[in-house]
Amino acid sequence: MESSQPDPLQVRRRILAYALVPVVLLLADLPLHRTAWRGNAELHTVIESVATEMALIAGAMALVRYYTKKSSAFLILGSAYLGAGLFDCYHTIITSSLFVGRVPTTLSSLVPWSGIASRVFLSLMMCASLLAWKGGNLRLKADRKTEVIVYLLAGTWIGIGFLCFGLIRLPSTYYPDFLIHRPTELAPGLFFGLAAAGYLRKGTWKSDDFEHWLVLSLVLVTSGHLIYTCFYRNLYDALFFAAHLMKIAGYLFGLVGLFISMHSIFKSEVKNATNLLQSNLSLAAEISERERIEEELRRARDELEARVRARTADLADVNQTLQAEIAERRRAECVAQAASQAKSEFLANMSHEIRTPLNGIIGMTDLALDTDLSSDQREYLETVKLSADTLLTVINDILDFSKIEAGKIDLEATDFDLRDSLEGTMKTLGLKADEKGLELLCEVASDVPEVVRGDSTRLRQIVINLASNAIKFTPEGEVALKVHVEAQDGLSRLLHFTVSDTGVGIASEKHKLIFDPFSQADSSTTRNYGGTGLGLTISARLVAMMGGTIWVESEVGRGTQFHFTVRMESSEKAIQIGTIAPPELLQGVKVLVVDDNQTNRRILEGMLKRWEMRATSVEGGEEALMQLAMARDAGDAYSLILTDMHMPKMDGFTLIERIRQKPELSAATIMMLTSAGHQGDSARCEELGVSAYLLKPIRQSELREAIARVLGAREHQGAIPLITRYSLQDARDPATVLRLLLVEDNQVNKMLAVRLLEKRGHRVVVAGNGREALAALEKENFDLVLMDVQMPEMDGFEAAAAIRRAERGTANHQPVVAMTAHAMKGDRERCLAAGMDGYLSKPIRPQELDKVLDRYVAMRRRTPHSHEIAEPSKTL
């Protein structure tokens, strides 16, 4: 049975109709009792004939509905209405004048007994139709077996009823002394009531029109039986005919419900048929269209085949011309490849030829600037160095960008001390920052691992690019590098770097543009500050390769913050740098930090507290003097003072002079930190009794070593010379001195390399080409060979190959590092493929040279050699 979501208003109306039916019948009962009107047998026969026809029609429609949708409930209802119709027909015939006196029962008893038969049968079948349902689903299957059972039971019942009424004498049904005059009529009334209650409880009457009319019919016949049929006194009185009219009304309501149900089914079928017709018409149209298209395709195919045959003849003629063209293009391609090869060789040669003299210019200028010079000479040489550095930056940026664009840069994965690497990187920029009066700061959060695994060279390149830009575009204030852990997963760490400045800032609409190649914040930037515009592009590409992102936050006039993240792994290996001071020497020492920069004070306090020292910081000289006096009066004087050189109101030297003027305060050991040293500073420090004079940004390892030395000297009442960054480097273990073989043919580069290596305390033997290098290796052992590549007689590749051939079958391995002006794409790979262990490009960067030397110093300390140290600067 069809159902849909019930309409609340419709439900209320139907409930009202169910309630009004018994009320109306009850109100009509009183006038019907009082009326003296009586009918006759002929009227009764007419009414029963009408009831018979309506019952038979309702039964037929219910069965049609059953065979249309195969619902077992309609099978039972159809059988009920048909059976009731047959009983009514039998009742009409047997109570007619034709059979008067021919049956054993009197007419007054036969009429009610034969009349009640149809109502009992119909009421019980209505109850049975409810049993066909289980919940919302039909319990009985609509199949042939169910049909046979229902028809057989209904037919048997009807047959037995006919025999009973025709052959058995039935008693009277009228008891005038009873409250209910005709109690036999209660049975069908109660069964109709049970059926009505069951369908009301089922609830589908709320949305199903047929069940609504069925329930209305059941309510009507139930009320008619209980109000009229049970209480009529005489045959053919008003209540008698009222009860018969209620029966006809019950059949009528059932018919209305069946008509509505059948109408909805026919309407649905018509709609489906219409849709099917439309689909068939569409399908026919499609078939016609497809046949038309296939015909057109056949014609087109025939026409195409004709054209193909014509074109085949033309192509045979064109083919020879095409073969000639292909041969010509191959020849042109070979020429283009040769030109490209020539171009690559030209660029490689030009890079080599530019870098070779530039190496000499930069290196010799650095050496000259370390000597005593007049102010004019120093100014000229500093200008030369600045120009050379700028030219080298341009060359390096262009070469790096070309390598990145070609995808020829591979990242290395080595263990390195992150804090030491960043501090060393920032220290190389200290002089530039001091020239502009800027504070250069480096702060590494405590949660950042000491040793990480990644590409330290590329990380250093990113930091230098960003920090150099920050210094370039900051007229005053500070440039700070900060690092913290943003996320971690096992050993993997996502490190967040921030390079901030207090410079000119960048307009918001330029934030994305600055990461494009050859782009800067605005057109005037190139004129005011210079640069290729490739630094940020290279940094962005490198950050992406290292699994991170880069972005900028900036406002014009309010400074800039460059953020980038890189993913590295925390390493469990310990890397020792320099001499490690014993921790017990530093524990509990009271330290006063004097610096006007708040960030600098926070960094120094963080370092000191990690070493379990008791640190206090102030921002100026007057506050420092007050703090020293207060600590002295409290009996807990400061043992160590770390003071900045450049401070407003009172600089570092003035503060030290004031301290030395007060004997009660002068017992503390004093160390001075400065952004850049100036001529005469060392002499003044020694004059004022300063124990150490160090450059900022200071490495953690350097600061710890310097503090340990000055405190150790005081503890043993010894005296040591003024500690500087050079004295920290010079006080080295003999195991850190390397025997080096320098293979170089260019006299300027040879002289520069020897000076740089000897300045670092190493012993150097020089060879002019590969053949001389092989001869030197036959005579003595070396910790490291620094090999130029392009040399006369025997170049570096041939020499490295000869060294490796000589080592075959032995456990020996001579470390060889290329030191060459070849810096084009693929040059590093060529050197490593030739058997070399490393690669240094010219011009030689002191930091890169130190990194290579430190690696082999560490190897020497693990496996020291027993042979004697070679004579320095010996040339073969």
Side-chain angles (χ1 to χ4, degrees):
M1 297 182 184
E2 299 85 355
S3 63
S4 60
Q5 191 68 23
D7 178 12
L9 179 60
Q10 175 180 278
V11 172
R12 288 196 294 272
R13 287 175 178 174
R14 291 181 176 182
I15 293 173
L16 180 61
Y18 302 153
L20 284 176
V21 167
V23 172
V24 171
L25 294 182
L26 193 60
L27 292 175
D29 180 60
L30 184 60
L32 289 175
H33 264 93
R34 293 180 177 179
T35 183
W37 180 88
R38 288 177 62 84
N40 53 38
E42 286 75 11
L43 179 59
H44 172 252
T45 301
V46 172
I47 291 175
E48 286 293 347
S49 298
V50 172
T52 298
E53 292 175 1
M54 295 184 71
L56 293 175
I57 293 171
M61 290 187 66
L63 289 178
V64 170
R65 175 69 171 79
Y66 162 70
Y67 285 107
T68 302
K69 292 294 184 179
K70 287 292 184 180
S71 173
S72 58
F74 280 98
L75 173 63
I76 297 174
L77 290 175
S79 301
Y81 279 118
L82 283 177
L86 292 174
F87 273 119
D88 285 337
C89 180
Y90 180 75
H91 169 66
T92 303
I93 295 170
I94 202 170
T95 57
S96 66
S97 58
L98 181 64
F99 282 89
V100 173
R102 297 179 183 273
V103 292
T105 307
T106 62
L107 183 63
S108 60
S109 297
L110 183 61
V111 170
W113 277 112
S114 60
I116 201 175
S118 66
R119 295 190 288 276
V120 170
F121 177 80
L122 182 60
S123 63
L124 288 174
M125 291 295 283
M126 289 291 180
C127 291
S129 69
L130 282 172
L131 299 178
W133 294 90
K134 182 180 182 181
N137 301 314
L138 285 169
R139 186 195 303 268
L140 296 178
K141 294 182 179 179
D143 54 15
R144 185 66 177 172
K145 180 180 177 182
T146 304
E147 293 174 12
V148 171
I149 293 173
V150 172
Y151 291 151
L152 185 60
L153 290 175
T156 302
W157 189 341
I158 294 168
I160 294 172
F162 285 178
L163 290 174
C164 288
F165 296 133
L167 301 176
I168 300 174
R169 181 180 180 86
L170 300 172
S172 174
T173 62
Y174 179 59
Y175 299 94
D177 296 331
F178 287 7
L179 178 64
I180 299 174
H181 303 323
R182 298 186 183 272
T184 54
E185 296 291 346
L186 282 175
L190 293 176
F191 289 136
F192 278 128
L194 287 174
Y199 275 103
L200 284 171
R201 184 174 180 273
K202 184 166 171 271
T204 50
W205 55 270
K206 297 178 182 178
S207 57
D208 188 276
D209 290 334
F210 168 73
E211 289 207 6
H212 161 62
W213 284 100
L214 181 62
V215 171
L216 191 60
S217 170
L218 292 171
V219 171
L220 181 66
V221 295
T222 302
S223 302
H225 269 75
L226 297 179
I227 296 172
Y228 297 152
T229 310
C230 293
F231 293 97
Y232 75 89
R233 295 183 177 84
N234 301 305
L235 292 178
Y236 313 132
D237 64 4
L239 288 176
F240 176 84
F241 282 107
H244 280 70
L245 290 176
M246 292 303 103
K247 180 171 70 171
I248 292 174
Y251 291 151
L252 178 61
F253 287 173
L255 273 173
V256 171
L258 287 168
F259 272 118
I260 294 173
S261 178
M262 294 299 293
H263 176 266
S264 65
I265 292 175
F266 291 147
K267 184 178 177 181
S268 175
E269 292 299 328
V270 168
K271 184 177 179 181
N272 292 338
T274 303
N275 292 337
L276 181 60
L277 178 61
Q278 291 178 349
S279 299
N280 289 336
L281 291 174
S282 299
L283 182 60
E286 269 187 42
I287 292 172
S288 300
E289 180 66 16
R290 184 170 295 179
E291 289 176 350
R292 185 185 64 78
I293 292 173
E294 288 178 353
E295 182 61 29
E296 290 181 358
L297 286 174
R298 279 194 293 270
R299 290 198 298 268
R301 182 184 61 192
D302 295 340
E303 183 180 349
L304 182 60
E305 288 177 352
R307 289 184 180 179
V308 167
R309 286 192 294 270
R311 282 297 294 166
T312 302
D314 294 339
L315 289 175
D317 297 333
V318 174
N319 191 39
Q320 293 181 348
T321 305
L322 184 60
Q323 292 294 334
E325 256 184 57
I326 292 173
E328 179 64 22
R329 288 188 181 183
R330 285 177 178 170
R331 187 188 65 79
E333 184 179 348
C334 292
V335 173
Q337 289 177 349
S340 176
Q341 182 66 24
K343 177 183 176 182
S344 299
E345 292 176 359
F346 171 76
L347 288 175
N349 288 333
M350 286 302 298
S351 173
H352 181 271
E353 295 303 322
I354 292 172
R355 284 172 175 273
T356 298
L358 197 57
N359 179 50
I361 294 171
I362 293 175
M364 288 303 182
T365 303
D366 283 335
L367 293 175
L369 287 171
D370 288 339
T371 63
D372 293 331
L373 300 169
S374 67
S375 59
D376 289 343
Q377 290 171 331
R378 183 170 296 279
E379 181 181 354
Y380 298 155
L381 287 174
E382 286 175 349
T383 303
V384 170
K385 186 177 185 305
L386 177 62
S387 300
D389 285 340
T390 302
L391 178 59
L392 180 60
T393 300
V394 172
I395 293 172
N396 286 339
D397 282 350
I398 293 173
L399 290 177
D400 280 342
F401 182 71
S402 67
K403 291 178 184 178
I404 292 174
E405 287 293 296
K408 296 298 184 182
I409 284 189
D410 295 322
L411 297 179
E412 295 180 347
T414 58
D415 294 329
F416 66 97
D417 188 311
L418 178 63
R419 184 186 302 275
D420 190 71
S421 176
L422 294 177
E423 289 172 346
T425 301
M426 296 300 284
K427 185 178 284 293
T428 62
L429 302 171
L431 184 59
K432 288 184 180 179
D434 184 68
E435 288 173 353
K436 301 184 72 172
L438 303 176
E439 284 284 351
L440 194 59
L441 310 171
C442 178
E443 181 177 6
V444 181
S446 59
D447 59 345
V448 176
E450 288 288 336
V451 181
V452 296
R453 186 169 183 80
D455 194 324
S456 60
T457 302
R458 295 304 176 185
L459 177 61
R460 172 188 173 86
Q461 184 176 358
I462 297 168
V463 172
I464 287 179
N465 280 342
L466 298 180
S468 297
N469 276 349
I471 294 171
K472 184 194 302 185
F473 297 107
T474 304
E476 60 180 359
E478 68 180 35
V479 174
L481 168 64
K482 299 178 182 179
V483 191
H484 69 271
V485 176
E486 184 163 296
Q488 66 181 61
D489 182 11
L491 293 177
S492 177
R493 300 288 190 277
L494 186 66
L495 302 180
H496 185 150
F497 294 76
T498 304
V499 178
S500 59
D501 63 57
T502 56
V504 296
I506 304 170
S508 58
E509 63 271 14
K510 303 292 185 180
H511 285 183
K512 292 184 178 179
L513 176 66
I514 58 176
F515 293 105
D516 294 337
F518 308 104
S519 297
Q520 293 185 336
D522 60 46
S523 57
S524 65
T525 303
T526 304
R527 295 193 297 272
N528 293 338
Y529 299 101
T532 62
L534 286 175
L536 290 178
T537 302
I538 294 170
S539 298
R541 305 287 176 86
L542 291 175
V543 166
M545 292 175 65
M546 298 172 78
T549 56
I550 186 170
W551 68 96
V552 63
E553 297 174 357
S554 180
E555 293 181 22
V556 175
R558 302 188 65 177
T560 302
Q561 286 187 335
F562 276 95
H563 301 264
F564 70 93
T565 59
V566 295
R567 188 167 294 281
M568 293 186 174
E569 290 188 1
S570 174
S571 177
E572 299 179 355
K573 296 181 180 179
I575 297 180
Q576 295 185 352
I577 301 176
T579 305
I580 303 301
E584 60 273 7
L585 188 62
L586 308 181
Q587 290 174 354
V589 175
K590 191 171 184 180
V591 186
L592 179 63
V593 177
V594 188
D595 198 311
D596 61 304
N597 186 280
Q598 181 180 0
T599 307
N600 229 355
R601 294 199 302 273
R602 188 176 70 249
I603 294 171
L604 287 172
E605 279 192 65
M607 289 183 183
L608 297 171
K609 288 179 179 178
R610 274 196 293 273
W611 304 330
E612 299 183 19
M613 304 180 79
R614 295 184 295 154
T616 304
S617 62
V618 295
E619 62 179 344
E622 292 294 342
E623 292 88 340
L625 294 172
M626 292 175 58
Q627 191 65 234
L628 289 169
M630 290 169 58
R632 179 72 179 180
D633 294 341
D636 187 15
Y638 286 95
S639 301
L640 178 65
I641 300 172
L642 297 178
T643 180
D644 187 22
M645 163 81 88
H646 302 290
M647 295 183 292
K649 298 182 182 179
M650 184 187 299
D651 65 14
F653 282 128
T654 305
L655 171 62
I656 297 171
E657 288 175 349
R658 294 277 298 275
I659 292 173
R660 294 308 185 204
Q661 291 170 4
K662 298 179 180 181
E664 69 276 10
L665 303 180
S666 61
T669 302
I670 300 175
M671 298 174 62
M672 179 169 283
L673 308 178
T674 181
S675 298
H678 300 282
Q679 192 169 8
D681 284 351
S682 298
R684 194 172 182 190
C685 285
E686 291 179 344
E687 179 184 342
L688 293 174
V690 176
S691 300
Y693 178 73
L694 302 172
L695 292 180
K696 295 190 297 184
I698 187 168
R699 295 190 182 192
Q700 179 176 269
S701 57
E702 289 180 355
L703 180 62
R704 179 169 178 165
E705 187 67 23
I707 291 175
R709 289 192 185 183
V710 298
L711 293 180
R714 186 186 66 178
E715 184 176 330
H716 294 91
Q717 298 181 351
I720 60 173
L722 177 68
I723 295 176
T724 65
R725 57 173 175 166
Y726 299 110
S727 65
L728 287 175
Q729 296 172 358
D730 291 340
R732 52 197 304 165
D733 190 334
T736 63
V737 178
L738 298 177
R739 301 179 183 83
L740 303 174
L741 174 60
L742 174 66
V743 187
E744 174 66 68
D745 64 313
N746 184 281
Q747 291 299 323
V748 175
N749 288 341
K750 188 185 301 182
M751 183 186 308
L752 170 62
V754 169
R755 296 288 175 85
L756 288 174
L757 295 170
E758 289 184 343
K759 190 174 182 179
R760 285 158 174 77
H762 301 295
R763 303 294 181 259
V764 186
V765 173
V766 181
N769 54 52
R771 198 177 304 282
E772 294 178 2
L774 294 177
L777 288 168
E778 290 178 357
K779 295 179 180 179
E780 55 183 310
N781 297 322
F782 295 93
D783 297 304
L784 177 63
V785 177
L786 297 173
M787 180 84 71
D788 189 16
V789 171
Q790 190 169 321
M791 296 179 293
E793 295 190 34
M794 179 183 287
D795 62 24
F797 295 124
E798 295 174 319
I803 292 172
R804 297 300 176 235
R805 283 196 301 271
E807 292 173 346
R808 289 176 185 170
T810 68
N812 297 330
H813 180 82
Q814 173 62 57
V816 179
V817 172
M819 190 165 65
T820 174
H822 286 287
M824 291 297 292
K825 180 175 64 178
D827 286 338
R828 177 188 181 88
E829 290 72 17
R830 287 179 59 203
C831 293
L832 297 178
M836 300 185 190
D837 301 285
Y839 173 89
L840 271 175
S841 65
K842 297 177 184 176
I844 299 171
R845 294 282 190 175
Q847 300 83 5
E848 295 175 1
L849 178 61
D850 288 340
K851 182 179 178 181
V852 172
L853 295 175
D854 288 345
R855 184 189 309 157
Y856 288 98
V857 165
M859 292 173 59
R860 176 181 171 85
R861 295 182 66 158
R862 288 196 298 268
T863 56
H865 296 288
S866 59
H867 46 264
E868 295 182 359
I869 298 175
E871 290 297 324
S873 304
K874 179 179 179 182
T875 303
L876 298 179

